[in-house]
Amino acid sequence: MPKTQIGHSYFQIESDDVRLDLSRTQGSNPAGHSGLKIAQLQMQDATDAPQLGVLASGADWVGVHLGEKAVLYPYLFMLTQAGVTARNWYLADTGITGHSRFNNFDYVFGAGSIKFDAIDINAGNNGLVAEYINMRIEMPWPAMTLQGGSMTLDYTQKDANSDLEFNFAGQEATENYGNVRMHTQVRKFERKTTGWGISTDTTFTFRDEGGTEVSTTVSDLFFNIYGVAYFNGDGTDHSAGLNAQTKLGDVQVQLQAIAATSHVDDLKPERLDFTLKGNIDFPGLSEAPVDIVYTVKKPMGQAYVATGPKHSKFTTGISFPVGRPMAETAIAPEIKTGGGGFAAQGGSLYASLDPIFLADASGGGAVQDTFGGTVETRMFGMDTPVKATFRYGTAAGDGYWLTHANVSGLNAPIFPGVALQAVNGGLAYGFSKDVFSPSGNPLSAAPNNPGVMVYSAGISVSSTEPQVFEMAGQITVLPEDAVYRMEFSGVKLLTYKVNGGAFFEYAGSAFSGKIWGSMSMFGGAVSLTAPKGAEDDRGTVGLYFGADDWEIYCGRTASPILVHFLIADVDGYMQLGQKMGLRLGGGLKVGSGKICLGFAAVEAYLNAMVGVGVSPSAHLSADFRAGAGVSAWVPSCGGAKFSANKSINFHVEAMPLHLRAGFDIDCGWFGDYSLNVTLI
């Protein structure tokens, strides 16, 4: 009889000495029942199972005897094949019958091994029972030895199945990989599509740098004998909800979900990746979604180890002040301590930055920044961001942070015709407002004002081409400020310095303010002194930057100031604007008054006005008007009046921008005045 499987028991038997025994005396079993067939025998690799039938007669035993040297092949988990002698096994109407013992099995497979002392095999009553004595299974991962005493394979022909029960349920193992701890509880040892292994309920605990732990349990996590983990038997991905808190550095993260990936290539070190998904919450800044990544690895020839926590790139920020934003700030932090660093999606993990230690205000101990990073700030609604640096840390349990920019040559438009040229300052949380003072260094300043936010920066603004004005000063904004004010200590108009000052206030997406002081232009041809006046009086001197126009004015035609213009001190004005260009002018009124000479009276006067305008398109226009006259009263101051006068008017428009103007004025009694000057 060739090698033949015993039903569905996974056991096989073969014999070259098979005999039909009708002696009625063979064996010690009681006589069988006449007319019954012997149990089916299925030949190995055969497509049809042959039937072997024996007709018993009389009251004594008859059957098929397999001889003294039949070989029985027990079920060895489909790993290998080995036989044991099956002496005096036979077939009767109750199926195959016999007893054998297979001793000492020790087999290395995968990255583990399976051992038992013996298999005690009993067949009969249309079934087969095999007891695996002192079963031990060495699992490579988690590293544990499954021990369950005797395991039983029980096959019955009636149910046409074979059950192998391993009594390993409830056995546990805990492994610590650093910042990841794995606790495994075995459910059963079984064979799945990915091989032999253990089905488990496994709890993973993730520890952050501060020692806070977060745990999650993965049900039906299968570890096969090759040291590979699978979710739900043969899956490589797993996800679940999570409601827990952890910290990234020293910043709170509210976790919402976990995603895990198993790596099935056992030649590579990675075994499991865990991504904890949540929102990070820097005090004073907006929440930001972030992934925190841990990885369990098995480097070649080394023990299992975990890496992490590492974080994905994320962006937080603030609109400051809330509701009335002057600055829109986007921040990309990066952790600076411990095992942190960027974990690009699907890419490699980057090493963390070195920590930076900063002296605190008290001079004792140290303040350690835990995050650095990059910043983009859009000020006053401008399109082009200003690049800055970021620092964050915790002092005495309170979070602090600041953004700092020190850049020049920006030429970034903030209004039509107005550009931001330089910034030195930024936004701070937990610092006093002098953290950005010109004499200090914000990157080494110690926090000293917990929970308070301030914006302070030295900035420089100018008109775009042509550059008609430049202003530099300091702006400081606290959240409670209703109006944001900037004081200018350095002002230039038409490249000429103003010996005075200016300020503007930012509200409603526009600037308005005042300018005052003295200045001299065009080689002394024009000089003026603009009075500061009342702070809320913007009618005589002022400035305005808005979404559609800008204007700086020192006097207006309706409210002039004292201007030395060409030939005399006059009531004049100077106006600069995005739409109007340059307007410069003034008027002179001179009179002798009525002079009585006894026999007669005389009076003389002179009126002159000059106005020059240059449009933004470099178009120049000029107007000149002059009038002079003499009046006489004869024969006395109360006599009849006789008058004579003369007036001159001319208007000129020219291109290009530069104009050299000459004026000759015959003022009679007051002398002749001639002046040639380059106006623009």
Side-chain angles (χ1 to χ4, degrees):
M1 182 180 71
K3 190 181 293 183
T4 304
Q5 183 167 305
I6 302 173
H8 296 278
S9 69
Y10 309 128
F11 281 66
Q12 296 173 315
I13 194 168
E14 67 178 357
S15 175
D16 58 2
D17 186 17
V18 179
R19 299 180 183 185
L20 178 61
D21 189 345
L22 300 176
S23 67
R24 303 178 187 275
T25 59
Q26 176 68 37
S28 59
N29 283 4
H33 302 284
S34 61
L36 296 180
K37 292 184 177 180
I38 298 175
Q40 291 183 0
L41 298 176
Q42 180 177 335
M43 298 177 62
Q44 186 183 39
D45 300 326
T47 56
D48 297 319
Q51 299 273 333
L52 196 59
V54 175
L55 181 62
S57 61
D60 297 324
W61 179 91
V62 294
V64 176
H65 194 278
L66 301 184
E68 296 291 325
K69 297 181 180 181
V71 179
L72 178 68
Y73 297 93
Y75 176 61
L76 299 177
F77 312 102
M78 300 182 183
L79 303 175
T80 187
Q81 198 168 63
V84 62
T85 300
R87 182 174 291 107
N88 293 324
W89 281 57
Y90 60 87
L91 296 168
D93 56 349
T94 56
I96 192 166
T97 302
H99 172 266
S100 293
R101 187 179 179 90
F102 180 91
N103 291 315
N104 297 325
F105 183 76
D106 188 343
Y107 187 84
V108 175
F109 71 111
S113 66
I114 184 168
K115 304 174 183 178
F116 51 81
D117 292 346
I119 309 175
D120 194 66
I121 309 154
N122 288 284
N125 296 321
N126 296 315
L128 183 146
V129 176
E131 183 180 9
Y132 293 73
I133 300 172
N134 193 20
M135 188 84 171
R136 287 102 63 204
I137 298 175
E138 301 283 350
M139 290 296 300
W141 186 44
M144 62 187 304
T145 300
L146 304 177
Q147 299 186 45
S150 297
M151 310 299 158
T152 302
L153 184 149
D154 192 353
Y155 162 70
T156 59
Q157 181 181 353
K158 180 179 179 181
D159 295 334
N161 58 32
S162 179
D163 293 325
L164 181 60
E165 294 294 335
F166 295 96
N167 187 24
F168 298 139
Q171 296 191 34
E172 301 177 69
T174 300
E175 296 186 347
N176 197 324
Y177 308 128
N179 284 338
V180 178
R181 186 171 66 251
M182 184 176 78
H183 177 78
T184 301
Q185 187 168 20
V186 178
R187 294 166 61 177
K188 63 167 61 176
F189 180 78
E190 59 184 332
R191 187 174 189 274
K192 295 195 174 186
T193 58
T194 54
W196 283 99
I198 52 174
S199 292
T200 70
D201 294 328
T202 299
T203 299
F204 293 93
T205 300
F206 307 97
R207 185 167 53 248
D208 65 25
E209 293 172 304
T212 302
E213 294 186 341
V214 173
S215 297
T216 183
T217 298
V218 180
S219 299
D220 199 18
L221 181 61
F222 183 74
F223 295 92
N224 73 7
I225 201 70
Y226 300 98
V228 179
Y230 292 90
F231 302 101
N232 296 317
D234 58 0
T236 57
D237 296 295
H238 168 79
S239 61
L242 192 62
N243 183 13
Q245 289 185 339
T246 187
K247 284 189 175 181
L248 189 59
D250 50 356
V251 185
Q252 197 75 34
V253 178
Q254 178 63 48
L255 299 174
Q256 300 167 338
I258 183 171
T261 300
S262 172
H263 297 274
V264 299
D265 187 349
D266 57 1
L267 297 180
K268 294 183 178 180
E270 291 79 11
R271 290 294 179 264
L272 285 172
D273 287 334
F274 296 94
T275 301
L276 281 60
K277 297 179 175 293
N279 289 322
I280 190 167
D281 188 11
F282 288 86
L285 298 174
S286 61
E287 286 188 345
V290 64
D291 292 347
I292 300 176
V293 179
Y294 295 83
T295 300
V296 178
K297 297 181 176 182
K298 176 63 172 70
M300 185 70 69
Q302 301 178 37
Y304 283 83
V305 66
T307 60
K310 296 179 182 291
H311 68 85
S312 62
K313 290 186 176 182
F314 63 93
T315 301
T316 181
I318 185 174
S319 297
F320 180 82
V322 176
R324 299 170 291 114
M326 182 196 69
E328 303 278 351
T329 299
I331 303 170
E334 180 182 357
I335 198 167
K336 302 179 75 167
T337 59
F342 291 149
Q345 186 68 30
S348 59
L349 304 180
Y350 298 94
S352 62
L353 300 176
D354 293 330
I356 295 177
F357 289 91
L358 307 169
D360 64 12
S362 65
V367 175
Q368 179 177 308
D369 289 356
T370 51
F371 281 83
T374 58
V375 181
E376 290 189 349
T377 298
R378 287 176 167 82
M379 303 168 60
F380 315 121
M382 66 188 188
D383 293 330
T384 304
V386 175
K387 304 289 185 180
T389 55
F390 176 71
R391 56 176 289 213
Y392 175 89
T394 302
D398 296 310
Y400 65 84
W401 56 262
L402 63 76
T403 68
H404 179 241
N406 187 6
V407 291
S408 58
L410 292 172
N411 198 29
I414 55 176
F415 293 111
V418 181
L420 180 67
Q421 298 296 345
V423 176
N424 185 2
L427 188 61
Y429 180 87
F431 294 85
S432 60
K433 64 181 180 180
D434 58 358
V435 65
F436 296 112
S437 65
S439 60
N441 180 6
L443 297 183
S444 62
N448 55 4
N449 201 12
V452 176
M453 194 175 301
V454 62
Y455 180 89
S456 183
I459 67 172
S460 174
V461 297
S462 72
S463 60
T464 53
E465 294 297 334
Q467 194 172 89
V468 225
F469 70 84
E470 296 177 64
M471 296 183 181
Q474 188 80 16
I475 183 170
T476 300
V477 179
L478 298 172
E480 61 270 19
D481 292 344
V483 177
Y484 319 140
R485 182 180 176 109
M486 179 169 181
E487 300 284 350
F488 291 103
S489 56
V491 180
K492 286 185 178 181
L493 299 179
L494 299 171
T495 72
Y496 299 102
K497 182 178 179 181
V498 177
N499 295 311
F503 73 85
F504 66 56
E505 296 171 337
Y506 181 74
S509 300
F511 294 105
S512 64
K514 298 191 72 172
I515 184 171
W516 62 89
S518 60
M519 62 180 297
S520 177
M521 302 178 291
F522 311 129
V526 177
S527 61
L528 59 85
T529 299
K532 183 175 182 180
E535 193 164 289
D536 58 353
D537 178 13
R538 311 288 168 87
T540 302
V541 293
L543 55 85
Y544 169 82
F545 302 150
D548 56 351
D549 195 11
W550 65 262
E551 181 183 357
I552 299 174
Y553 53 93
C554 298
R556 287 173 166 169
T557 54
S559 54
I561 63 173
L562 184 64
V563 178
H564 179 81
F565 190 73
L566 299 178
I567 59 174
D569 292 338
V570 301
D571 293 332
Y573 59 88
M574 184 184 69
Q575 295 172 266
L576 296 167
Q578 170 73 8
K579 293 182 178 179
M580 74 173 64
L582 168 66
R583 294 179 182 174
L584 182 64
L588 174 67
K589 294 182 180 179
V590 182
S592 65
K594 192 174 183 180
I595 303 173
C596 293
L597 301 175
F599 61 90
V602 295
E603 181 182 19
Y605 68 90
L606 170 66
N607 294 328
M609 188 283 294
V610 176
V612 179
V614 181
S615 75
S617 60
H619 184 86
L620 182 142
S621 63
D623 290 280
F624 177 77
R625 294 192 299 274
V630 177
S631 298
W633 290 262
V634 179
S636 65
C637 287
K641 180 181 180 180
F642 300 90
S643 298
N645 57 71
K646 183 179 181 181
S647 64
I648 301 172
N649 294 275
F650 69 82
H651 175 81
V652 62
E653 298 194 20
M655 291 286 286
L657 181 64
H658 299 287
L659 173 69
R660 185 174 181 83
F663 300 92
D664 292 302
I665 303 176
D666 181 0
C667 298
W669 292 356
F670 304 101
D672 296 336
Y673 289 89
S674 297
L675 181 66
N676 291 282
V677 63
T678 300
L679 293 177
I680 300 297

